[in-house]
Amino acid sequence: MTQTPSTHIRTVALVGHGAAGKTTLAESLLAATGAITNRGTVEKGNTTCDFDTMEKEFGHSLQTALVSMQWAGAQVHLIDTPGYPDFAGQAIAALAGVDTALVVVNAQTGIELATERMFNLAGDRGLCRMVVINKIDADNVDLPALVGTIRERFGKQCLLLDLPAHDAKDVVELLGHADGESDFASVSAAHRALIDQIIEEDDSLMARYLEDGVDPSPQELHAPFEAALRAGHLIPILFVSAKTGAGVPQLLDALAKLAPNPAEGNAPPFYRGEPGEQPQAFEAQPDEALHVLAHVFKVVMDPFIGKLGVFRVHQGTVRKDAQLFVGSGKRPFKVSHLYRLQGKEYVEVPSLVPGDIGAVAKVDEIEFDCVLHDSHDEDNIHLKPLQFPLPMQGLAVQTRRKSDEHRLFEILHKLELEDPCFKVERHPSTNETVIRGLGDMHLRTKLARMQQQFKMELDTSPPRIAYRETITQGAEGHCRHKKQSGGAGQFGEVMLRIEPLERGAGFEFVDVVKGGAIPGVFMAAVEKGVRQALTDGVVAGYPVHDLRVTVYDGKTHAVDGKDIAFTLAGRKATMEAVRKATPIVLEPMVNIEVLAPEGAIGDLTGDLSSKRGHVTGTQPRPAATAAINGQIPLAELDDYQGRLKSLTAGQGSYSIEFSHYAQVPAQTQAQLMAAHKAVNLDDE
C-alpha cells in the first residue's frame, strides 16, 4: 500500500442523531470512490461500518467504525459514529481523531438532540464543521424551512455550498457556478453570499473583488475558505441522498478540495505538564520527520486479535517494528504489527504519517486517551480531555452461575476500557456490583454482548441510587485513640475542623499543625482516616463531598504513636465533626428528554410532575411527535421505562444526562438515615 503524504490526507467524522443515515452515507461514499464494489444496506445488515452482530440485530450503529477511501488525489479517513444518545461516548471520542466534523441532519426529522450536541461539541473542540442534509428525496420534506432552522439554531455563518436540483435527483455546486437551476432558492444569490463570506477572510482579495467585480479563481479562494472554516466563520451546508447517491460526488469534492489537511486544521489542544505543575500549551507539528506523537481515541477488546489501540498520528512517522512509549511509561513496546482499519478488516501497513489513523494490538499498557511517542522528551504531553456525559443509568448485576463470579470483573473491566461512558462500581456495604451507562439501551447492549461474546449470563436489579452527603456549616472534631494490649500500645490524637465548600468543589485536606504536635510522618495516616470516613459516609452511608478538612492540632507518643492510631483517630474525629455540621443528603438530578406521540404529552408531563420532576418545555417534532424536556431526580426513574411504554403504547423513548446534585426532601433523608443506622456497626 502506497503511503499518502500528510498534505493529501483528510480526517472526517460523520456525526448526528440516530437514523440520520450516517452509515448509509458512509456506504455510498465508499461505493462512489471504488473502495467497495457492492453497496450494502442497513436493512440487509451488510454495510461496511455496521459489521458487529448486535449492530445488525439492532439495526443501528453501536460503536464507531473506521474506513478509508481515495478521491481526487486525497486520502479520506472517515469515522462513522453512532447517533443515539445512549452511545454518545463513542461519538464524542471520535472528535479527538479528526480535523472535520460532518454533521448529518435527517431532512425528515430536522435538528434532533444528538445533532445539536455534536455540532456544539465539534465547535468547542475547534474542528471545522460542515452540515450535510441527508434524505433530500424523502417524502414530505421542506428543505427551505430546514435550511432556515439550521441558520437560526446554528448561526448565520451556515451557508449553502450546493443546492438540490431536478427534484432532488442531483445537486448543483455553488462555489464554481454563478447560475443554474435548483429545486429552491436562487443559485446566483447563494453563490454571491458564499463568495462574499469567503473573501472577508482576505483583505487584499476583497479589495480587488470590490474594485473589478470579478469572482476570484478557485485557487485564490482556497486559503480564505480554509481560514473561514477554521475560525467557524463559514459552515457549509451540503445536500445528499445517501440512498440514491445524489450529491455524493459533490460531497467528496468538498472533502478532497476544501476540507483541511492536518497542517491546515486547527491545532489539537495538546499541553505539557507534570502532576502538580501549571500546564503549558504544546503545538504538535504535522511533520513526518519529527518525534512521534499520537493519541489513542478508541480501545477495542477484539475476541480474536486481543486489545487494540486505535490512534491518530499528529507528529512524526510511526513505523512497523518501531519502539514507542505509552504516556510517561519508562519501558517501550515494539510495534510488531501496524494496522489501518477498514470496517472489520485489519489492513497491515508499513508506516503511518501525520493525519493517518491506525492501530496496534496486544499492548496491555495502552488505554483510552493515552499519548504514544518515541522519545522521553514527550513523556508529559497530554491531549486536553473531552467532556463526556456522566453515566447515571444503573443496574445491579449478579452472575447466574456461581462459577462465573471470578470472571465477572475481568469481563466488565474489558468493557469499561472500551467505553468512556460505561462504568463499573463495587459497593461493599451492600455487596452490589453496579454497571452504569447513558441509558437503558446502552446497558442492554452491554448485557447482550456479555452473553454473546463471553457467554456470561447475569441477573439484574435496580441499584442503590448514588446519593451523596455534605455539610451545611462548620464544626470541629476530636478523637484520642489509645489502646494498650500488654505490649506496645497505640496512641494518636487528632483535632480538626471542617467547613463546607461550593457544590461540586470536592474535598480539600489542609495541614496547619505547628510544633510537631503530629509528626509529619503520621499526617498521611491522618488523611487516610479522614478519607475513609468521607468515603464510607457518616449519617446515611454515602460519600461525603464538598468540604475542607483542616487538621490543626493533636498529640503523639514517643513509643505508642503509630500509623494505625492516627488513621483511626482521623476517621473518628471526622465523623464527629460531620455529625455536628448539620449534614444533608444530596440526590442526583438528571436532564431528561422524552420523545413521544403528541397525544401522550399531557399524560407524560403529568407523570413527570407526580415524580418530583420539573418540565421545562415541549417542542413539536415531525411526524406528529413531540419532545418533552425537564429535570427529575434519578431515584424516580427506576421503573420509568415501563411507565413510558404504558403511557405511549410502546412508541415513546427517553434519554437522560446528569445535571447536578440537589438536597433530598426531609422525609427521604430521615428514611435513608434510619436505614443506615439499622445496618451500620457502632463506630464509637
Side-chain angles (χ1 to χ4, degrees), residues 350-378:
S351 63
L352 297 170
V353 298
D356 271 330
I357 296 175
V360 291
K362 299 178 181 178
V363 182
D364 291 339
E365 296 84 356
I366 283 183
E367 295 182 353
F368 173 77
D369 207 31
C370 69
V371 170
L372 308 180
H373 55 95
D374 62 356
S375 166
H376 284 303
D377 292 345
E378 284 81 35

Side-chain angles (χ1 to χ4, degrees), residues 24-45:
T24 303
L25 178 57
E27 196 76 2
S28 291
L29 293 169
L30 289 167
T33 58
I36 59 174
T37 54
N38 296 310
R39 193 168 71 92
T41 66
V42 172
E43 293 75 18
K44 292 181 180 178

Side-chain angles (χ1 to χ4, degrees), residues 77-285:
H77 297 313
L78 183 141
I79 306 178
D80 179 30
T81 70
Y84 287 96
D86 281 26
F87 308 100
Q90 293 276 321
I92 294 171
L95 298 179
V98 300
D99 297 312
T100 303
L102 293 184
V103 184
V104 183
V105 179
N106 185 338
Q108 294 176 295
T109 55
I111 298 173
E112 298 175 270
L113 177 66
T115 313
E116 190 157 14
R117 171 193 281 172
M118 295 306 297
F119 178 89
N120 292 331
L121 287 172
D124 293 342
R125 195 67 177 181
L127 301 183
C128 298
R129 292 169 291 178
M130 300 183 184
V131 176
V132 179
I133 300 177
N134 189 22
K135 305 186 182 182
I136 58 174
D137 57 332
D139 295 332
N140 301 317
V141 298
D142 188 344
L143 295 179
L146 178 54
V147 170
T149 302
I150 289 171
R151 300 196 72 204
E152 180 183 338
R153 297 271 288 274
F154 293 163
K156 299 297 183 184
Q157 67 271 30
C158 295
L159 293 177
L160 300 170
L161 191 62
D162 58 36
L163 274 167
H166 309 115
D167 294 326
K169 293 183 178 66
D170 194 9
V171 302
V172 55
E173 187 271 330
L174 295 173
L175 196 59
H177 294 83
D179 52 48
E181 297 181 5
S182 74
D183 291 345
F184 71 92
S186 163
V187 170
S188 175
H191 168 83
R192 189 62 47 220
L194 183 63
I195 297 295
D196 289 348
Q197 187 80 354
I198 295 171
I199 62 174
E200 284 187 6
E201 302 293 327
D202 188 322
D203 291 341
S204 62
L205 199 63
M206 182 166 62
R208 197 187 77 195
Y209 172 71
L210 293 174
E211 183 177 337
D212 58 27
V214 178
D215 285 352
S217 68
Q219 292 76 18
E220 291 174 312
L221 288 171
H222 181 82
F225 188 98
E226 296 282 358
L229 273 182
R230 286 196 301 272
H233 296 162
L234 172 63
I235 300 171
I237 301 175
L238 301 101
F239 295 85
V240 301
S241 168
K243 186 176 180 180
T244 67
V248 168
Q250 289 82 359
L251 175 57
L252 284 165
D253 282 342
L255 295 178
K257 300 174 184 178
L258 301 175
N261 65 41
E264 293 170 329
N266 288 322
F270 281 103
Y271 68 92
R272 185 194 297 273
E274 296 188 21
E277 291 186 354
Q278 185 70 23
Q280 296 183 340
F282 176 87
E283 185 168 338
Q285 302 293 329

Side-chain angles (χ1 to χ4, degrees), residues 58-78:
F58 281 85
H60 59 77
S61 302
L62 303 177
Q63 58 188 349
T64 53
L66 287 82
V67 292
S68 292
M69 63 200 81
Q70 291 189 334
W71 183 265
Q75 180 81 39
V76 180
H77 297 313
L78 183 141

Side-chain angles (χ1 to χ4, degrees), residues 360-622:
V360 291
K362 299 178 181 178
V363 182
D364 291 339
E365 296 84 356
I366 283 183
E367 295 182 353
F368 173 77
D369 207 31
C370 69
V371 170
L372 308 180
H373 55 95
D374 62 356
S375 166
H376 284 303
D377 292 345
E378 284 81 35
D379 276 355
N380 294 294
I381 290 178
H382 315 273
L383 191 63
K384 180 183 177 182
L386 290 154
Q387 295 299 311
F388 292 95
L390 192 64
M392 299 302 299
Q393 190 90 3
L395 279 175
V397 297
Q398 186 174 9
T399 59
R400 291 181 182 174
R401 297 185 295 266
K402 195 166 184 67
S403 59
D404 284 337
E405 288 182 358
H406 70 285
R407 290 200 307 135
L408 176 61
F409 278 95
E410 176 188 343
I411 294 170
L412 289 176
H413 181 60
K414 288 181 178 180
L415 298 181
E416 197 174 22
L417 287 174
E418 291 183 318
D419 192 337
C421 293
F422 177 73
K423 300 299 178 187
V424 181
E425 302 170 357
R426 177 68 179 169
H427 299 284
S429 59
T430 59
N431 202 30
E432 274 190 335
T433 299
V434 177
I435 58 173
R436 293 198 181 276
L438 298 181
D440 179 69
M441 187 185 298
H442 190 195
L443 295 181
R444 282 195 291 114
T445 59
K446 298 297 183 186
L447 294 173
R449 184 175 171 197
M450 291 180 73
Q451 183 174 6
Q452 291 180 14
Q453 182 175 330
F454 300 102
K455 312 305 178 187
M456 172 74 70
E457 295 187 353
L458 301 175
D459 290 321
T460 63
S461 59
R464 292 179 71 189
I465 297 297
Y467 293 107
R468 290 181 176 179
E469 299 176 20
T470 192
I471 58 174
T472 58
Q473 63 184 45
E476 295 196 355
H478 165 242
C479 178
R480 173 183 290 180
H481 176 79
K482 184 176 181 181
K483 182 177 181 182
Q484 292 295 137
S485 56
Q490 299 175 3
F491 182 90
E493 185 172 355
V494 174
M495 300 177 193
L496 53 79
R497 69 176 69 94
I498 63 175
E499 55 189 307
L501 298 177
E502 290 184 4
R503 197 68 53 81
F507 163 67
E508 292 181 17
F509 181 82
V510 183
D511 169 18
V512 296
V513 175
K514 299 185 183 301
I518 300 178
V521 69
F522 293 130
M523 194 52 66
V526 175
E527 183 176 356
K528 179 181 177 182
V530 170
R531 288 183 179 274
Q532 282 181 358
L534 299 181
T535 300
D536 294 343
V538 177
V539 295
Y542 297 97
V544 186
H545 287 253
D546 306 332
L547 77 166
R548 178 184 294 118
V549 177
T550 304
V551 180
Y552 64 88
D553 203 358
K555 290 182 182 178
T556 187
H557 187 278
V559 177
D560 294 342
K562 291 183 173 62
D563 281 346
I564 183 64
F566 280 99
T567 296
L568 292 171
R571 179 173 181 269
K572 292 185 177 181
T574 302
M575 293 174 68
E576 177 186 296
V578 170
R579 289 184 179 122
K580 293 178 181 177
T582 316
I584 58 173
V585 177
L586 305 174
E587 65 180 339
M589 302 291 293
V590 295
N591 296 321
I592 185 169
E593 180 176 79
V594 184
L595 298 177
E598 288 179 340
I601 296 303
D603 291 338
L604 289 170
T605 54
D607 178 72
L608 290 172
S609 298
S610 71
K611 298 294 183 179
R612 298 192 289 130
H614 173 60
V615 176
T616 56
T618 60
Q619 296 177 339
R621 292 288 173 86

